[in-house]
Amino acid sequence: LFAESNTRLLAEVPKGRERDFEFVFSQAGFPGFAVKIGSVTGDGRVVATSGKDKLLDVSAEACRKAWAEAMPKLMGVSA
């Protein structure tokens, strides 16, 4: 479970347990709160989808690099 803020969370859910995860939120009064945005495939890509629409498809290495360099770039220093 990861959080960007108090209102956005990202959770990894084991394959086959997605409905159980969604059910927990539904039972807590938050139907539709849990939305699948992608899956882990092991191919070295980060892919996010919305239904059948692909929103993001980049290499995991590009994501790691962007994450590692973001703060230093914002602060004007080398990573």
mmCIF file of all heavy atoms in Angstrom, residues 4-45:
data_model
loop_
_atom_site.group_PDB
_atom_site.id
_atom_site.type_symbol
_atom_site.label_atom_id
_atom_site.label_comp_id
_atom_site.label_asym_id
_atom_site.label_seq_id
_atom_site.Cartn_x
_atom_site.Cartn_y
_atom_site.Cartn_z
ATOM 1 N N GLU A 4 0.151 8.846 -1.945
ATOM 2 C CA GLU A 4 0.694 10.135 -2.356
ATOM 3 C C GLU A 4 0.198 11.225 -1.428
ATOM 4 O O GLU A 4 0.848 12.222 -1.225
ATOM 5 C CB GLU A 4 0.247 10.464 -3.779
ATOM 6 C CG GLU A 4 0.912 9.649 -4.840
ATOM 7 C CD GLU A 4 0.500 10.129 -6.226
ATOM 8 O OE1 GLU A 4 -0.185 11.153 -6.341
ATOM 9 O OE2 GLU A 4 0.868 9.459 -7.189
ATOM 10 N N SER A 5 -0.990 11.044 -0.930
ATOM 11 C CA SER A 5 -1.603 12.019 -0.033
ATOM 12 C C SER A 5 -2.664 11.283 0.774
ATOM 13 O O SER A 5 -2.804 10.069 0.672
ATOM 14 C CB SER A 5 -2.252 13.153 -0.835
ATOM 15 O OG SER A 5 -3.391 12.659 -1.508
ATOM 16 N N ASN A 6 -3.432 12.013 1.544
ATOM 17 C CA ASN A 6 -4.490 11.389 2.337
ATOM 18 C C ASN A 6 -5.661 10.923 1.483
ATOM 19 O O ASN A 6 -6.544 10.237 1.976
ATOM 20 C CB ASN A 6 -4.999 12.364 3.398
ATOM 21 C CG ASN A 6 -3.934 12.656 4.423
ATOM 22 O OD1 ASN A 6 -3.033 11.859 4.633
ATOM 23 N ND2 ASN A 6 -4.030 13.794 5.076
ATOM 24 N N THR A 7 -5.680 11.306 0.209
ATOM 25 C CA THR A 7 -6.841 10.985 -0.618
ATOM 26 C C THR A 7 -6.547 10.027 -1.762
ATOM 27 O O THR A 7 -7.471 9.564 -2.409
ATOM 28 C CB THR A 7 -7.452 12.263 -1.215
ATOM 29 O OG1 THR A 7 -6.459 12.916 -2.011
ATOM 30 C CG2 THR A 7 -7.943 13.193 -0.129
ATOM 31 N N ARG A 8 -5.273 9.732 -2.031
ATOM 32 C CA ARG A 8 -4.925 8.814 -3.118
ATOM 33 C C ARG A 8 -4.051 7.701 -2.583
ATOM 34 O O ARG A 8 -3.009 7.953 -1.982
ATOM 35 C CB ARG A 8 -4.188 9.550 -4.229
ATOM 36 C CG ARG A 8 -5.074 10.498 -4.990
ATOM 37 C CD ARG A 8 -4.251 11.195 -6.041
ATOM 38 N NE ARG A 8 -3.195 11.963 -5.411
ATOM 39 C CZ ARG A 8 -3.044 13.262 -5.530
ATOM 40 N NH1 ARG A 8 -3.846 13.942 -6.267
ATOM 41 N NH2 ARG A 8 -2.067 13.882 -4.922
ATOM 42 N N LEU A 9 -4.470 6.476 -2.841
ATOM 43 C CA LEU A 9 -3.712 5.320 -2.398
ATOM 44 C C LEU A 9 -3.476 4.381 -3.563
ATOM 45 O O LEU A 9 -4.283 4.303 -4.482
ATOM 46 C CB LEU A 9 -4.480 4.550 -1.322
ATOM 47 C CG LEU A 9 -4.888 5.331 -0.070
ATOM 48 C CD1 LEU A 9 -5.808 4.483 0.779
ATOM 49 C CD2 LEU A 9 -3.659 5.730 0.718
ATOM 50 N N LEU A 10 -2.383 3.654 -3.510
ATOM 51 C CA LEU A 10 -2.075 2.642 -4.502
ATOM 52 C C LEU A 10 -1.796 1.358 -3.745
ATOM 53 O O LEU A 10 -1.002 1.349 -2.805
ATOM 54 C CB LEU A 10 -0.836 3.056 -5.310
ATOM 55 C CG LEU A 10 -0.327 2.070 -6.344
ATOM 56 C CD1 LEU A 10 -1.365 1.902 -7.460
ATOM 57 C CD2 LEU A 10 0.992 2.548 -6.904
ATOM 58 N N ALA A 11 -2.473 0.291 -4.119
ATOM 59 C CA ALA A 11 -2.296 -0.992 -3.437
ATOM 60 C C ALA A 11 -2.002 -2.086 -4.446
ATOM 61 O O ALA A 11 -2.561 -2.092 -5.538
ATOM 62 C CB ALA A 11 -3.556 -1.345 -2.657
ATOM 63 N N GLU A 12 -1.113 -2.988 -4.071
ATOM 64 C CA GLU A 12 -0.877 -4.187 -4.870
ATOM 65 C C GLU A 12 -1.775 -5.276 -4.323
ATOM 66 O O GLU A 12 -1.782 -5.545 -3.126
ATOM 67 C CB GLU A 12 0.577 -4.631 -4.753
ATOM 68 C CG GLU A 12 1.552 -3.705 -5.420
ATOM 69 C CD GLU A 12 2.968 -4.217 -5.301
ATOM 70 O OE1 GLU A 12 3.240 -5.340 -5.774
ATOM 71 O OE2 GLU A 12 3.790 -3.504 -4.715
ATOM 72 N N VAL A 13 -2.536 -5.899 -5.195
ATOM 73 C CA VAL A 13 -3.483 -6.940 -4.797
ATOM 74 C C VAL A 13 -3.124 -8.215 -5.552
ATOM 75 O O VAL A 13 -2.963 -8.176 -6.771
ATOM 76 C CB VAL A 13 -4.936 -6.515 -5.116
ATOM 77 C CG1 VAL A 13 -5.916 -7.599 -4.734
ATOM 78 C CG2 VAL A 13 -5.269 -5.206 -4.407
ATOM 79 N N PRO A 14 -2.993 -9.339 -4.843
ATOM 80 C CA PRO A 14 -2.651 -10.587 -5.536
ATOM 81 C C PRO A 14 -3.677 -10.931 -6.618
ATOM 82 O O PRO A 14 -4.883 -10.721 -6.428
ATOM 83 C CB PRO A 14 -2.678 -11.643 -4.426
ATOM 84 C CG PRO A 14 -2.487 -10.873 -3.160
ATOM 85 C CD PRO A 14 -3.135 -9.539 -3.404
ATOM 86 N N LYS A 15 -3.173 -11.453 -7.737
ATOM 87 C CA LYS A 15 -4.045 -11.851 -8.834
ATOM 88 C C LYS A 15 -5.093 -12.831 -8.317
ATOM 89 O O LYS A 15 -4.799 -13.735 -7.547
ATOM 90 C CB LYS A 15 -3.225 -12.496 -9.948
ATOM 91 C CG LYS A 15 -4.013 -12.734 -11.199
ATOM 92 C CD LYS A 15 -3.117 -13.148 -12.337
ATOM 93 C CE LYS A 15 -3.952 -13.212 -13.594
ATOM 94 N NZ LYS A 15 -3.165 -13.131 -14.782
ATOM 95 N N GLY A 16 -6.322 -12.598 -8.723
ATOM 96 C CA GLY A 16 -7.421 -13.447 -8.291
ATOM 97 C C GLY A 16 -8.129 -12.939 -7.049
ATOM 98 O O GLY A 16 -9.178 -13.451 -6.668
ATOM 99 N N ARG A 17 -7.561 -11.927 -6.384
ATOM 100 C CA ARG A 17 -8.160 -11.383 -5.158
ATOM 101 C C ARG A 17 -8.735 -9.992 -5.376
ATOM 102 O O ARG A 17 -9.164 -9.327 -4.437
ATOM 103 C CB ARG A 17 -7.113 -11.315 -4.036
ATOM 104 C CG ARG A 17 -6.472 -12.622 -3.638
ATOM 105 C CD ARG A 17 -7.429 -13.617 -2.996
ATOM 106 N NE ARG A 17 -8.207 -13.084 -1.916
ATOM 107 C CZ ARG A 17 -7.861 -13.106 -0.619
ATOM 108 N NH1 ARG A 17 -6.740 -13.665 -0.256
ATOM 109 N NH2 ARG A 17 -8.653 -12.593 0.294
ATOM 110 N N GLU A 18 -8.770 -9.539 -6.638
ATOM 111 C CA GLU A 18 -9.247 -8.185 -6.948
ATOM 112 C C GLU A 18 -10.676 -7.960 -6.457
ATOM 113 O O GLU A 18 -10.974 -6.925 -5.860
ATOM 114 C CB GLU A 18 -9.193 -7.925 -8.462
ATOM 115 C CG GLU A 18 -7.806 -8.014 -9.060
ATOM 116 C CD GLU A 18 -7.474 -9.388 -9.627
ATOM 117 O OE1 GLU A 18 -8.140 -10.381 -9.285
ATOM 118 O OE2 GLU A 18 -6.528 -9.457 -10.417
ATOM 119 N N ARG A 19 -11.542 -8.910 -6.700
ATOM 120 C CA ARG A 19 -12.952 -8.759 -6.292
ATOM 121 C C ARG A 19 -13.071 -8.681 -4.772
ATOM 122 O O ARG A 19 -13.881 -7.923 -4.257
ATOM 123 C CB ARG A 19 -13.796 -9.902 -6.835
ATOM 124 C CG ARG A 19 -13.834 -9.935 -8.338
ATOM 125 C CD ARG A 19 -15.233 -9.739 -8.825
ATOM 126 N NE ARG A 19 -15.248 -9.937 -10.274
ATOM 127 C CZ ARG A 19 -15.839 -9.108 -11.085
ATOM 128 N NH1 ARG A 19 -16.467 -8.064 -10.626
ATOM 129 N NH2 ARG A 19 -15.821 -9.332 -12.373
ATOM 130 N N ASP A 20 -12.267 -9.469 -4.072
ATOM 131 C CA ASP A 20 -12.281 -9.415 -2.600
ATOM 132 C C ASP A 20 -11.874 -8.029 -2.112
ATOM 133 O O ASP A 20 -12.471 -7.476 -1.192
ATOM 134 C CB ASP A 20 -11.333 -10.459 -2.005
ATOM 135 C CG ASP A 20 -11.731 -11.881 -2.317
ATOM 136 O OD1 ASP A 20 -12.933 -12.138 -2.554
ATOM 137 O OD2 ASP A 20 -10.847 -12.748 -2.319
ATOM 138 N N PHE A 21 -10.845 -7.484 -2.741
ATOM 139 C CA PHE A 21 -10.359 -6.154 -2.369
ATOM 140 C C PHE A 21 -11.445 -5.103 -2.609
ATOM 141 O O PHE A 21 -11.715 -4.270 -1.753
ATOM 142 C CB PHE A 21 -9.098 -5.838 -3.177
ATOM 143 C CG PHE A 21 -8.408 -4.577 -2.764
ATOM 144 C CD1 PHE A 21 -7.621 -4.534 -1.632
ATOM 145 C CD2 PHE A 21 -8.532 -3.419 -3.517
ATOM 146 C CE1 PHE A 21 -6.970 -3.368 -1.246
ATOM 147 C CE2 PHE A 21 -7.888 -2.247 -3.159
ATOM 148 C CZ PHE A 21 -7.107 -2.231 -2.014
ATOM 149 N N GLU A 22 -12.064 -5.159 -3.783
ATOM 150 C CA GLU A 22 -13.137 -4.212 -4.109
ATOM 151 C C GLU A 22 -14.317 -4.379 -3.161
ATOM 152 O O GLU A 22 -14.942 -3.398 -2.752
ATOM 153 C CB GLU A 22 -13.592 -4.423 -5.550
ATOM 154 C CG GLU A 22 -12.533 -4.038 -6.562
ATOM 155 C CD GLU A 22 -12.850 -4.506 -7.973
ATOM 156 O OE1 GLU A 22 -13.929 -5.106 -8.195
ATOM 157 O OE2 GLU A 22 -12.011 -4.271 -8.853
ATOM 158 N N PHE A 23 -14.608 -5.614 -2.768
ATOM 159 C CA PHE A 23 -15.722 -5.897 -1.870
ATOM 160 C C PHE A 23 -15.523 -5.230 -0.510
ATOM 161 O O PHE A 23 -16.479 -4.695 0.074
ATOM 162 C CB PHE A 23 -15.883 -7.416 -1.697
ATOM 163 C CG PHE A 23 -17.000 -7.803 -0.777
ATOM 164 C CD1 PHE A 23 -18.317 -7.716 -1.203
ATOM 165 C CD2 PHE A 23 -16.738 -8.262 0.500
ATOM 166 C CE1 PHE A 23 -19.360 -8.072 -0.356
ATOM 167 C CE2 PHE A 23 -17.760 -8.620 1.347
ATOM 168 C CZ PHE A 23 -19.082 -8.526 0.919
ATOM 169 N N VAL A 24 -14.305 -5.232 -0.008
ATOM 170 C CA VAL A 24 -14.014 -4.601 1.285
ATOM 171 C C VAL A 24 -14.404 -3.125 1.257
ATOM 172 O O VAL A 24 -15.054 -2.624 2.176
ATOM 173 C CB VAL A 24 -12.521 -4.761 1.659
ATOM 174 C CG1 VAL A 24 -12.157 -3.896 2.852
ATOM 175 C CG2 VAL A 24 -12.203 -6.222 1.945
ATOM 176 N N PHE A 25 -14.036 -2.429 0.196
ATOM 177 C CA PHE A 25 -14.383 -1.013 0.085
ATOM 178 C C PHE A 25 -15.883 -0.824 -0.081
ATOM 179 O O PHE A 25 -16.468 0.116 0.456
ATOM 180 C CB PHE A 25 -13.624 -0.349 -1.066
ATOM 181 C CG PHE A 25 -12.194 -0.070 -0.730
ATOM 182 C CD1 PHE A 25 -11.199 -0.947 -1.119
ATOM 183 C CD2 PHE A 25 -11.851 1.050 -0.001
ATOM 184 C CE1 PHE A 25 -9.878 -0.700 -0.788
ATOM 185 C CE2 PHE A 25 -10.536 1.307 0.336
ATOM 186 C CZ PHE A 25 -9.543 0.419 -0.065
ATOM 187 N N SER A 26 -16.491 -1.710 -0.823
ATOM 188 C CA SER A 26 -17.936 -1.638 -1.036
ATOM 189 C C SER A 26 -18.675 -1.799 0.294
ATOM 190 O O SER A 26 -19.597 -1.046 0.605
ATOM 191 C CB SER A 26 -18.352 -2.735 -2.003
ATOM 192 O OG SER A 26 -19.478 -2.375 -2.712
ATOM 193 N N GLN A 27 -18.247 -2.771 1.087
ATOM 194 C CA GLN A 27 -18.876 -3.028 2.384
ATOM 195 C C GLN A 27 -18.655 -1.876 3.362
ATOM 196 O O GLN A 27 -19.458 -1.654 4.255
ATOM 197 C CB GLN A 27 -18.342 -4.336 2.994
ATOM 198 C CG GLN A 27 -18.838 -5.559 2.277
ATOM 199 C CD GLN A 27 -20.356 -5.702 2.385
ATOM 200 O OE1 GLN A 27 -20.972 -5.278 3.297
ATOM 201 N NE2 GLN A 27 -20.971 -6.271 1.434
ATOM 202 N N ALA A 28 -17.557 -1.145 3.176
ATOM 203 C CA ALA A 28 -17.250 -0.010 4.050
ATOM 204 C C ALA A 28 -17.981 1.257 3.605
ATOM 205 O O ALA A 28 -17.815 2.314 4.202
ATOM 206 C CB ALA A 28 -15.747 0.230 4.083
ATOM 207 N N GLY A 29 -18.802 1.147 2.556
ATOM 208 C CA GLY A 29 -19.556 2.306 2.097
ATOM 209 C C GLY A 29 -18.890 3.095 0.999
ATOM 210 O O GLY A 29 -19.252 4.239 0.735
ATOM 211 N N PHE A 30 -17.883 2.492 0.351
ATOM 212 C CA PHE A 30 -17.159 3.172 -0.714
ATOM 213 C C PHE A 30 -17.182 2.353 -2.006
ATOM 214 O O PHE A 30 -16.136 2.001 -2.546
ATOM 215 C CB PHE A 30 -15.707 3.437 -0.308
ATOM 216 C CG PHE A 30 -15.571 4.297 0.901
ATOM 217 C CD1 PHE A 30 -15.276 3.740 2.135
ATOM 218 C CD2 PHE A 30 -15.755 5.664 0.813
ATOM 219 C CE1 PHE A 30 -15.152 4.531 3.259
ATOM 220 C CE2 PHE A 30 -15.634 6.464 1.937
ATOM 221 C CZ PHE A 30 -15.336 5.897 3.161
ATOM 222 N N PRO A 31 -18.374 2.064 -2.539
ATOM 223 C CA PRO A 31 -18.413 1.294 -3.785
ATOM 224 C C PRO A 31 -17.757 2.073 -4.924
ATOM 225 O O PRO A 31 -17.904 3.286 -5.015
ATOM 226 C CB PRO A 31 -19.908 1.097 -4.034
ATOM 227 C CG PRO A 31 -20.569 2.216 -3.296
ATOM 228 C CD PRO A 31 -19.686 2.496 -2.102
ATOM 229 N N GLY A 32 -16.993 1.381 -5.738
ATOM 230 C CA GLY A 32 -16.316 2.020 -6.853
ATOM 231 C C GLY A 32 -15.055 2.769 -6.474
ATOM 232 O O GLY A 32 -14.387 3.353 -7.316
ATOM 233 N N PHE A 33 -14.705 2.750 -5.181
ATOM 234 C CA PHE A 33 -13.512 3.465 -4.709
ATOM 235 C C PHE A 33 -12.237 2.781 -5.188
ATOM 236 O O PHE A 33 -11.283 3.428 -5.566
ATOM 237 C CB PHE A 33 -13.527 3.552 -3.188
ATOM 238 C CG PHE A 33 -12.380 4.324 -2.602
ATOM 239 C CD1 PHE A 33 -12.397 5.702 -2.586
ATOM 240 C CD2 PHE A 33 -11.280 3.665 -2.079
ATOM 241 C CE1 PHE A 33 -11.342 6.421 -2.045
ATOM 242 C CE2 PHE A 33 -10.214 4.367 -1.545
ATOM 243 C CZ PHE A 33 -10.251 5.754 -1.529
ATOM 244 N N ALA A 34 -12.225 1.452 -5.164
ATOM 245 C CA ALA A 34 -11.056 0.689 -5.596
ATOM 246 C C ALA A 34 -11.173 0.433 -7.092
ATOM 247 O O ALA A 34 -12.129 -0.178 -7.556
ATOM 248 C CB ALA A 34 -10.980 -0.625 -4.833
ATOM 249 N N VAL A 35 -10.202 0.910 -7.841
ATOM 250 C CA VAL A 35 -10.221 0.779 -9.293
ATOM 251 C C VAL A 35 -8.888 0.190 -9.752
ATOM 252 O O VAL A 35 -7.824 0.681 -9.377
ATOM 253 C CB VAL A 35 -10.432 2.160 -9.964
ATOM 254 C CG1 VAL A 35 -10.386 2.031 -11.467
ATOM 255 C CG2 VAL A 35 -11.729 2.783 -9.501
ATOM 256 N N LYS A 36 -8.948 -0.841 -10.567
ATOM 257 C CA LYS A 36 -7.730 -1.435 -11.106
ATOM 258 C C LYS A 36 -7.158 -0.515 -12.177
ATOM 259 O O LYS A 36 -7.855 -0.095 -13.091
ATOM 260 C CB LYS A 36 -8.041 -2.805 -11.717
ATOM 261 C CG LYS A 36 -6.817 -3.490 -12.267
ATOM 262 C CD LYS A 36 -7.176 -4.863 -12.812
ATOM 263 C CE LYS A 36 -5.956 -5.532 -13.400
ATOM 264 N NZ LYS A 36 -6.238 -6.882 -13.874
ATOM 265 N N ILE A 37 -5.847 -0.201 -12.036
ATOM 266 C CA ILE A 37 -5.208 0.672 -13.023
ATOM 267 C C ILE A 37 -4.123 -0.050 -13.801
ATOM 268 O O ILE A 37 -3.562 0.509 -14.727
ATOM 269 C CB ILE A 37 -4.634 1.953 -12.379
ATOM 270 C CG1 ILE A 37 -3.543 1.616 -11.376
ATOM 271 C CG2 ILE A 37 -5.745 2.770 -11.761
ATOM 272 C CD1 ILE A 37 -2.746 2.818 -10.915
ATOM 273 N N GLY A 38 -3.808 -1.275 -13.425
ATOM 274 C CA GLY A 38 -2.766 -2.008 -14.138
ATOM 275 C C GLY A 38 -2.501 -3.342 -13.483
ATOM 276 O O GLY A 38 -3.192 -3.741 -12.551
ATOM 277 N N SER A 39 -1.483 -4.026 -13.987
ATOM 278 C CA SER A 39 -1.110 -5.319 -13.418
ATOM 279 C C SER A 39 0.385 -5.553 -13.601
ATOM 280 O O SER A 39 1.016 -4.957 -14.468
ATOM 281 C CB SER A 39 -1.911 -6.449 -14.057
ATOM 282 O OG SER A 39 -1.693 -6.473 -15.448
ATOM 283 N N VAL A 40 0.942 -6.416 -12.765
ATOM 284 C CA VAL A 40 2.354 -6.767 -12.826
ATOM 285 C C VAL A 40 2.501 -7.944 -13.785
ATOM 286 O O VAL A 40 1.838 -8.962 -13.623
ATOM 287 C CB VAL A 40 2.894 -7.139 -11.432
ATOM 288 C CG1 VAL A 40 4.348 -7.577 -11.519
ATOM 289 C CG2 VAL A 40 2.739 -5.971 -10.474
ATOM 290 N N THR A 41 3.362 -7.776 -14.786
ATOM 291 C CA THR A 41 3.509 -8.823 -15.793
ATOM 292 C C THR A 41 4.909 -9.426 -15.839
ATOM 293 O O THR A 41 5.102 -10.479 -16.412
ATOM 294 C CB THR A 41 3.183 -8.279 -17.190
ATOM 295 O OG1 THR A 41 4.123 -7.247 -17.494
ATOM 296 C CG2 THR A 41 1.768 -7.752 -17.270
ATOM 297 N N GLY A 42 5.888 -8.748 -15.289
ATOM 298 C CA GLY A 42 7.253 -9.263 -15.325
ATOM 299 C C GLY A 42 7.993 -8.987 -16.624
ATOM 300 O O GLY A 42 9.073 -9.520 -16.849
ATOM 301 N N ASP A 43 7.438 -8.137 -17.490
ATOM 302 C CA ASP A 43 8.092 -7.855 -18.770
ATOM 303 C C ASP A 43 8.928 -6.574 -18.752
ATOM 304 O O ASP A 43 9.416 -6.138 -19.787
ATOM 305 C CB ASP A 43 7.072 -7.808 -19.905
ATOM 306 C CG ASP A 43 6.086 -6.661 -19.803
ATOM 307 O OD1 ASP A 43 6.130 -5.907 -18.807
ATOM 308 O OD2 ASP A 43 5.254 -6.515 -20.715
ATOM 309 N N GLY A 44 9.082 -5.970 -17.559
ATOM 310 C CA GLY A 44 9.895 -4.762 -17.465
ATOM 311 C C GLY A 44 9.203 -3.499 -17.926
ATOM 312 O O GLY A 44 9.841 -2.485 -18.169
ATOM 313 N N ARG A 45 7.881 -3.540 -18.051
ATOM 314 C CA ARG A 45 7.105 -2.384 -18.490
ATOM 315 C C ARG A 45 6.136 -1.969 -17.395
ATOM 316 O O ARG A 45 5.660 -2.808 -16.632
ATOM 317 C CB ARG A 45 6.296 -2.702 -19.749
ATOM 318 C CG ARG A 45 7.059 -3.363 -20.827
ATOM 319 C CD ARG A 45 7.600 -2.560 -21.962
ATOM 320 N NE ARG A 45 6.963 -1.348 -22.356
ATOM 321 C CZ ARG A 45 7.664 -0.262 -22.684
ATOM 322 N NH1 ARG A 45 8.975 -0.259 -22.623
ATOM 323 N NH2 ARG A 45 7.062 0.810 -23.090
#
